């Protein structure tokens, strides 16, 4: 089974800062990777698919990159609305999620 | 507007059964694979099961294989999750989600329901 490992597990930052979250797959998954945002008490929301494609309606400050086993989600300038937990997910074999990264201000 | 509405959650004793439903609207249901994802209290997301658009292929996480069954009904645009032999560690919010494009399911989940809580306890 593929393991997805995110780092860091949590990050405390400031409004306007650049935030980078890394996701590592235990085996190559091409570009079959998605990123989700989840706010407390709410369902997850798709941000990025195919490693770097921005889902419709998602602000352009979110950017995904990577392929193979190393992937990154970057928030270029953190906004108050971005406080949430972020999950990566591979869909190359099954649909395995990373453990999540909590972004706080 | 795309909507997914889950129902059927509740409190059940260990060893019991529960059937979750997910009513879809706002998209061509028969063209999309559907999936269930769960989240235990205070924990991360765990994929549970996926069914292809045609309903001919189903996939399960090892943690539920042999106990849970996913199905779909095109006449009601609904997806179901039959959960048997429930255990305490099945306690979670269960989300229904729509697979983005690939009819076989090999894609991201682009629309989620609000979730339904399942509590397994005596």
């Amino acid at each position: 089974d593929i393991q997805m490992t995110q780092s860091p597990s949590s990050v405390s930052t400031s409004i306007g800062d650049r935030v980078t979250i890394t996701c590592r797959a235990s085996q190559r998954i091409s570009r079959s990777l998605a990123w989700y945002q989840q706010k407390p008490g709410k369902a997850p929301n798709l941000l990025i698919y195919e490693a770097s494609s921005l889902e419709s309606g998602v602000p352009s400050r979110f950017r995904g990159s990577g392929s193979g086993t190393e992937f990154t989600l970057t928030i270029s300038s953190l906004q108050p609305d971005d406080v949430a937990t972020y999950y990566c997910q591979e869909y190359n074999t099954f649909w395995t999620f990373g453990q999540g990264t909590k972004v706080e201000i | 507007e795309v909507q997914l509405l889950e129902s059927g959650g509740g409190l059940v004793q260990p060893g019991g059964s529960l059937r979750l439903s997910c009513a879809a609207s706002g998209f061509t249901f028969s063209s999309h694979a559907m999936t269930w994802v769960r989240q235990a209290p205070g924990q991360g997301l765990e994929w549970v099961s996926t069914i292809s658009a045609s309903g001919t292929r189903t996939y399960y996480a090892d943690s539920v294989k042999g106990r849970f069954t996913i199905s779909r009904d095109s006449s009601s645009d609904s997806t179901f999750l039959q959960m048997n032999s429930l255990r305490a560690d099945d306690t979670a919010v269960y989300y229904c989600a729509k697979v983005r494009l690939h009819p076989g399911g090999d894609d991201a989940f682009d629309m989620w329901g609000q979730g339904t809580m399942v509590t397994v306890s005596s």
Side-chain angles (χ1 to χ4, degrees):
Chain A
D1 292 357
I2 293 179
Q3 309 299 320
M4 304 299 292
T5 304
Q6 289 181 231
S7 61
S9 296
S10 65
V11 56
S12 184
T13 184
S14 302
I15 300 299
D17 280 0
R18 183 185 189 92
V19 176
T20 300
I21 300 169
T22 298
C23 180
R24 180 176 290 111
S26 60
Q27 62 189 71
R28 295 183 67 84
I29 59 169
S30 185
R31 294 176 60 80
S32 300
L33 185 106
W35 289 97
Y36 300 86
Q37 176 193 67
Q38 186 181 33
K39 297 180 180 180
K42 300 294 186 182
N45 182 50
L46 176 64
L47 298 175
I48 302 285
Y49 60 93
E50 283 301 298
S52 61
S53 295
L54 194 67
E55 175 70 349
S56 176
V58 174
S60 58
R61 62 180 179 272
F62 291 93
R63 188 174 75 88
S65 63
S67 66
T69 61
E70 295 276 340
F71 301 87
T72 299
L73 174 69
T74 301
I75 309 173
S76 59
S77 177
L78 191 76
Q79 300 302 302
D81 191 50
D82 301 336
V83 170
T85 300
Y86 294 83
Y87 295 91
C88 64
Q89 178 208 35
E90 67 86 13
Y91 48 89
N92 188 69
T93 54
F94 286 97
W95 298 267
T96 309
F97 290 93
Q99 81 277 18
T101 296
K102 188 173 185 179
V103 175
E104 301 171 300
I105 295 176
Chain B
E1 180 189 5
V2 175
Q3 279 196 328
L4 296 171
L5 188 61
E6 302 100 333
S7 60
L11 174 65
V12 61
Q13 292 189 337
S17 297
L18 215 53
R19 188 190 195 215
L20 305 183
S21 299
C22 172
S25 61
F27 64 98
T28 305
F29 181 74
S30 59
S31 296
H32 291 271
M34 298 295 294
T35 194
W36 290 91
V37 174
R38 69 184 181 183
Q39 186 169 36
Q43 302 302 307
L45 302 172
E46 180 188 15
W47 168 73
V48 173
S49 181
T50 297
I51 186 166
S52 65
S54 65
T56 57
R57 284 176 286 166
T58 57
Y59 308 90
Y60 299 94
D62 287 344
S63 58
V64 306
K65 200 174 296 182
R67 300 187 300 123
F68 290 11
T69 302
I70 191 171
S71 61
R72 61 190 296 157
D73 176 26
S74 58
S75 66
S76 62
D77 286 357
S78 295
T79 307
F80 307 98
L81 188 68
Q82 177 67 42
M83 305 186 296
N84 299 330
S85 303
L86 283 162
R87 311 185 303 222
D89 62 359
D90 294 318
T91 295
V93 174
Y94 284 73
Y95 294 102
C96 168
K98 166 184 165 288
V99 178
R100 197 178 68 89
L101 278 181
H102 196 291
D106 303 337
D107 209 333
F109 307 157
D110 65 348
M111 185 56 57
W112 298 62
Q114 84 289 350
T116 187
M117 183 71 202
V118 171
T119 303
V120 184
S121 174
S122 56

